[in-house]
Amino acid sequence: MKNILIIGCGLIGSSLLRAIADKKIAKKIFIYEKSESNILKIKKLKLPCEITHDFKKIIPNLDMIILCTPLGEYKKIILQINKYLSSKTIITDVGSSKEKSMELIKKSLKKGIFWTSSHPIAGSEVSGPEHGVKNLFFNKWCILIKEKNTNRKHLQILTKFWKKIGSRVAVMDSKKHDIVFSMTSHLPHLIAYNLVKTATDFEKQQRYELIKFSAGGLRDFSRIAASNEIMWRDVFFNNQKNITKVIDLFIKNLLLFKRDIQTKNNESIIKKLVDTKKVRKKIIKLKQDINKPDFGRS
């Protein structure tokens, strides 16, 4: 490829920038970033890119555009770039929720333009270009969205692109994607936010210094709950239907645990605890984590 434009240069955008440069995938990488603070950081870090605000000038010469912004920014960006796009340009994004965003894209994008959505399952609780790393996507899954009107050539090119920067690629439609990740990603983040809120509420009610005595469990949840609030607000709102369903299932199971504890139902609670341990073993077997104390993070 000759030219790639990354819109939004936070953790994911700057990691993509580094990975693309490292693998020499594009001759020139353009960055569109509206945050003046992030622009200053990009310049200070001397990242291998050219910062642009002129869509009219660069879009006709682009091979690929990658949106790395919160989902709530998509419509605004499409309206800015729409008239300069051509069918040859590959357009993708890295959003964590797909069905609603794909509906928005179909309504807003001009006819004859193809958008093939991506979701790299990578990231952390920190944000900003200073935290980007070139190997963020190495050995991580990237989900590509295939619908009836997906451009197969663009899908093939994107598959090669993500594999080139180290990702393992899987393909599914937007509906299946949102159902799967409502449970594996969205609910865990929601639980983390709620658990930390519950801990702070409890601290106020009991007037104890709880946070400084945080055990490993609360520390791990607090790390997840430190994630970008705008990004996760947009994910929760965009995948509302599926997240609501898994919240209901979670509450149902939580109440069953509560009942077992209240009735001291040894057999029932031991079975639950043993069965759930099997999931950890499966995650390790599938190489989604490593089998070390403290999850290998200490």
Side-chain angles (χ1 to χ4, degrees), residues 62-75:
L62 293 174
D63 299 295
M64 184 183 289
I65 298 171
I66 309 171
L67 267 75
C68 300
T69 67
L71 294 163
E73 295 287 313
Y74 282 22
K75 187 173 182 179

Side-chain angles (χ1 to χ4, degrees), residues 260-273:
D260 286 347
I261 292 166
Q262 287 176 328
T263 59
K264 295 186 177 180
N265 190 329
N266 180 68
E267 185 180 346
S268 178
I269 202 162
I270 288 293
K271 187 179 186 306
K272 288 184 178 71
L273 299 178

Side-chain angles (χ1 to χ4, degrees), residues 128-189:
E130 70 272 29
H131 297 295
V133 288
K134 67 181 181 182
N135 62 347
L136 183 70
F137 311 99
F138 182 74
N139 212 25
K140 301 292 197 311
W141 283 108
C142 179
I143 310 301
L144 294 180
I145 303 302
K146 182 182 179 184
E147 309 282 26
K148 288 181 181 178
N149 62 343
T150 296
N151 185 306
R152 292 182 181 274
K153 185 180 177 182
H154 289 189
L155 184 67
Q156 288 171 355
I157 293 169
L158 274 170
T159 299
K160 290 177 182 176
F161 169 81
W162 286 107
K163 285 183 176 179
K164 187 89 182 270
I165 62 173
S167 294
R168 294 184 287 170
V169 174
V171 178
M172 59 182 73
D173 62 37
S174 59
K175 184 177 181 180
K176 181 180 177 181
H177 171 279
D178 283 7
I179 292 170
V180 169
F181 287 96
S182 69
M183 177 56 74
T184 62
S185 175
H186 305 165
L187 181 65
H189 275 82

